[in-house]
Amino acid sequence: MSSQSNYQMKVVTGEFGYVLQDVPHLTDYIPTLTAYPNPLQSNSAYSVVKQYFLDMDDTVPQKIVVHKDTPRGIHFRRAGPREKTYFASDEVLACIVTCGGLCPGLNTVIREIVQSLDNMYGANKVLGIVGGYMGFYSKNTIPLTPKIVNDIHKRGGTILGTSRGGHDTTKIVDSIEDRGINQVYIIGGDGTQKGAAVIYEEIRKRGLKVAVAGIPKTIDNDIPVIDKSFGFDTAVEEAQRAINAAHVEAESTENGIGLVKLMGRYCGFIAMYATLASRDVDCCLIPESPFYLEGKGGLFEYVEKKLKENGHMVIVIAEGAGQELLTAKNEQDASGNKLLQDVGLWLSDKIKDHFSKMRKLPITLKYIDPTYMIRAIPSNASDNVYCTLLAQSAVHGAMAGYTGFTSGLVNGRQTYIPFNRITEEQNKVVITDRMWARLLSSTNQPSFLGPKGIAEARKEEAPPTQLLDDTRDSKDGNNNNKST
C-alpha cells in the first residue's frame, strides 16, 4: 500500500520577506530534457491575447491584505501557458482518474482536460482510468476523445466511476510505466492528493518523464489555501431547494419545524453559506461550533422561543455537527474517514421527544436530507467556468514540464500549489471571524458558546493581532485572505 509521503516543495526567497513555495519540474531530475516551442503560438484562438505566454517569474501572493511594514509573504507560481513545453504533441499519452465521493463538476473537469489537450496542444491520446486508484491495476481503461466527452458536463457523477482506497503505489506506477503514460491528471480530495504526492515521488525515484497534476475536489470546501473547491457553489445553490421546502412545510402548520441536513463532515461551509443565502433559516449548526440541547441557552430553549414568536422555524445542520453528543463509533470508510452517525435523524428524534413532553406546545417536524441529491447533480454555470479554469491550468502546467502540483485558485488567480500545502490540514469555518458573526446576526441564533467558550475559541483560533482581521487563512468570506 501507499507509504508516508516525503514530498519536498521548493522554496525560493527574495527581498522584503518574499517567499515562493514552488512546485517541482521534470528538469529537476531529468536535466537533459528537450524543450519545444509551445504550439499555442500558432493557435488562432490565442492570437488575440496580449500577453501570449506568462512570464516565468509571475507569482501570486497567498495573502493580499497587508500592512506597509508586513513582509511580502508566501507566493505560489502563477498558472498558465509557458513559451516552452517539454512534451511534443504526438508523444503525449495522458490519463485521468477520479477518486473519492461524487461532486458536481467532475465530468466538466474530465471534459476540459481532454478538450484542452486536443484543442490547444494537439495531444489526442487520453485514457480514462475506470474506478478510482484501483483502476490503474485492476480494471480496463477507456479512450477519451473530444467527441466522447463533448456532452458529459451536462450529467452528474463521473463517467470514469470512482472509489475510495485502493491506493497501491507500486502497482499504480508500474501500470503508468507499462502503458507508457506520461501525464497523469488526478481529481480528488485531500486523501487523493496525498496519494498523488506519493505517486509523484515514486515516479521521480524511477526517473520517469511523467508529469503528475492534481485537481482538488471536495464538495465541503474544506481544502486549505485555495479560494474554493469546485462543486461548492452548486451545492449551496441546490441546498436552497431543500431549505425552501423545509420553510414551506414549517410555515404551513402550527408550530412547524423544518430540519435540513447538509454536507459537511468536518466543516460547515455549505451549511453556513446556504443559511446566509436563504434568509429563511433560524438556526445553523456546524461542526466547528459546539451546541447543547437542554438547559438555559440550549437549543431546546431557543426552538421554543422561536416557535412562540413566529409559529414556525427552520434548522440547518451539517452532517458532522454534534457528533460528540452521539454514541461514538470507531469505524472508518476505505479512505480512512470516520464513519459519522446520522445527526439529522438523531436531532429530529430528540426535538420530538422533548416537545412531546411539553403538551402545551405540540409540534410538527419535517426532516429533509438532500445529501445524495446534491452530490449527484451537474455543476451550475459558475462551477462550470471554474472547472474549465482548473483543467486548462493543469494542462498548461503539465505541458510546461511542471509536476507534483495541484491546480488551484488563490486570490482570484490560477496557481500551481505544492501537494503538501493542499494536504497539510483541513480548512474550517473560523467561528471567531466575521463571516460566522454575520450568520449569527442574520439568524439571530445564540452562539451556544457563552463568554467562556468564546474566550477559549478566540484563544484556539488565532493570536490576538489576528482576531480583528478577516484575512485569516480560512474560507470565512470565500475567502482566503480576502477582506470582505
Side-chain angles (χ1 to χ4, degrees):
M1 295 299 291
S2 61
S3 59
Q4 181 69 30
S5 174
N6 295 311
Y7 180 93
Q8 295 290 324
M9 65 182 173
K10 298 192 292 185
V11 178
V12 180
T13 58
E15 294 183 335
F16 311 112
Y18 172 92
V19 177
L20 169 62
Q21 293 187 345
D22 206 358
V23 297
H25 194 274
L26 290 172
T27 55
D28 293 343
Y29 63 94
I30 313 177
T32 58
L33 279 184
T34 301
Y36 306 92
N38 194 321
L40 278 176
Q41 62 190 3
S42 56
N43 187 310
S44 59
Y46 272 72
S47 62
V48 297
V49 179
K50 186 176 181 180
Q51 185 184 0
Y52 216 79
F53 299 113
L54 297 185
D55 190 293
M56 290 299 293
D57 292 330
D58 282 358
T59 60
V60 177
Q62 181 176 354
K63 185 173 182 178
I64 60 173
V65 179
V66 296
H67 302 290
K68 61 181 181 180
D69 298 324
T70 304
R72 292 179 63 187
I74 294 171
H75 289 61
F76 301 108
R77 185 168 292 281
R78 185 182 174 193
R82 264 59 181 182
E83 190 171 355
K84 298 291 185 182
T85 69
Y86 285 83
F87 292 93
S89 299
D90 59 359
E91 77 168 309
V92 172
L93 177 55
C95 74
I96 305 171
V97 63
T98 53
C99 304
L102 295 182
C103 175
L106 281 168
N107 279 334
T108 306
V109 175
I110 294 168
R111 179 190 189 277
E112 294 309 319
I113 292 173
V114 175
Q115 297 280 14
S116 298
L117 283 166
D118 187 275
N119 296 341
M120 293 193 291
Y121 289 98
N124 54 23
K125 291 178 289 186
V126 186
L127 298 175
I129 305 298
V130 178
Y133 273 137
M134 66 179 64
F136 275 102
Y137 54 86
S138 66
K139 295 189 179 182
N140 293 329
T141 61
I142 59 174
L144 298 175
T145 65
K147 184 177 181 179
I148 289 173
V149 303
N150 187 51
D151 292 327
I152 65 172
H153 62 291
K154 299 175 183 177
R155 299 171 4 213
T158 163
I159 64 164
L160 299 179
T162 185
S163 65
R164 298 186 183 276
H167 190 284
D168 188 310
T169 306
T170 302
K171 288 184 179 180
I172 290 171
V173 178
D174 283 348
S175 175
I176 291 170
E177 188 172 8
D178 292 344
R179 296 174 188 269
I181 293 168
N182 51 26
Q183 290 186 9
V184 182
Y185 297 93
I186 300 173
I187 310 167
D190 58 346
T192 301
Q193 301 303 312
K194 288 177 182 176
V198 178
I199 290 170
Y200 155 74
E201 289 158 16
E202 179 63 21
I203 285 171
R204 178 167 182 157
K205 181 180 176 182
R206 298 188 190 188
L208 304 177
K209 183 187 176 182
V210 179
V212 179
I215 295 161
K217 176 232 64 171
T218 168
I219 200 170
D220 292 347
N221 204 34
D222 60 356
I223 290 179
V225 180
I226 61 174
D227 291 0
K228 64 178 179 179
S229 53
F230 74 82
F232 175 71
D233 282 353
T234 305
V236 172
E237 184 177 300
E238 190 67 14
Q240 300 303 291
R241 301 178 190 274
I243 292 173
N244 182 61
H247 183 248
V248 170
E249 288 283 356
E251 69 175 356
S252 298
T253 184
E254 183 179 6
N255 296 324
I257 299 175
L259 175 60
V260 181
K261 185 183 78 171
L262 297 175
M263 286 84 68
R265 295 178 61 86
Y266 305 110
C267 68
F269 290 111
I270 292 177
M272 179 172 71
Y273 275 84
T275 294
L276 282 167
S278 76
R279 308 292 174 176
D280 287 330
V281 179
D282 299 289
C283 185
C284 177
L285 304 171
I286 62 173
E288 297 89 338
S289 184
F291 66 93
Y292 56 98
L293 300 179
E294 300 182 12
K296 185 173 177 58
L299 181 62
F300 290 155
E301 181 184 78
Y302 177 62
V303 171
E304 184 176 350
K305 174 175 175 288
K306 295 301 292 187
L307 292 178
K308 288 180 177 178
E309 288 177 354
N310 301 330
H312 65 274
M313 76 175 298
V314 175
I315 303 171
V316 166
I317 185 167
E319 61 183 323
Q323 289 292 322
E324 69 279 1
L325 302 177
L326 284 72
T327 304
K329 285 186 178 180
N330 296 319
E331 298 177 19
Q332 295 181 333
D333 63 19
S335 296
N337 297 314
K338 182 180 178 181
L339 290 177
L340 302 181
Q341 297 188 67
D342 193 328
V343 70
L345 282 175
W346 171 84
L347 184 59
S348 174
D349 290 340
K350 287 291 184 181
I351 293 174
K352 288 176 181 177
D353 289 345
H354 175 79
F355 284 96
S356 68
K357 298 172 184 176
M358 296 178 57
R359 294 175 183 172
K360 60 180 181 180
L361 192 63
I363 65 165
T364 301
L365 188 148
K366 302 295 184 183
Y367 173 52
I368 299 175
D369 180 0
T371 303
Y372 290 101
M373 293 176 63
I374 293 175
R375 284 171 22 131
I377 63 172
S379 53
N380 64 10
S382 173
D383 274 324
N384 268 335
V385 173
Y386 186 30
C387 289
T388 300
L389 298 178
L390 289 170
Q392 289 190 1
S393 296
V395 169
H396 288 316
M399 290 298 297
Y402 293 108
T403 182
F405 69 87
T406 293
S407 171
L409 194 71
V410 176
N411 291 321
R413 295 284 186 176
Q414 291 293 323
T415 63
Y416 300 135
I417 305 168
F419 278 137
N420 63 299
R421 290 303 315 275
I422 290 292
T423 61
E424 63 189 0
E425 62 182 357
Q426 287 183 310
N427 206 67
K428 297 185 178 183
V429 173
V430 179
I431 61 172
T432 54
D433 274 353
R434 287 190 181 92
M435 205 63 184
W436 184 243
R438 292 183 181 110
L439 180 139
L440 295 179
S441 176
S442 173
T443 61
N444 204 29
Q445 71 184 66
S447 69
F448 299 111
L449 287 176
K452 183 179 179 181
I454 292 173
E456 290 177 352
R458 281 175 172 265
K459 187 176 179 181
E460 289 177 6
E461 297 289 1
T465 54
Q466 288 181 304
L467 293 176
L468 299 179
D469 190 357
D470 247 359
T471 66
R472 197 173 184 275
D473 190 11
S474 70
K475 293 187 177 59
D476 60 318
N478 210 29
N479 132 142
N480 264 343
N481 317 312
K482 288 196 182 82
S483 181
T484 49

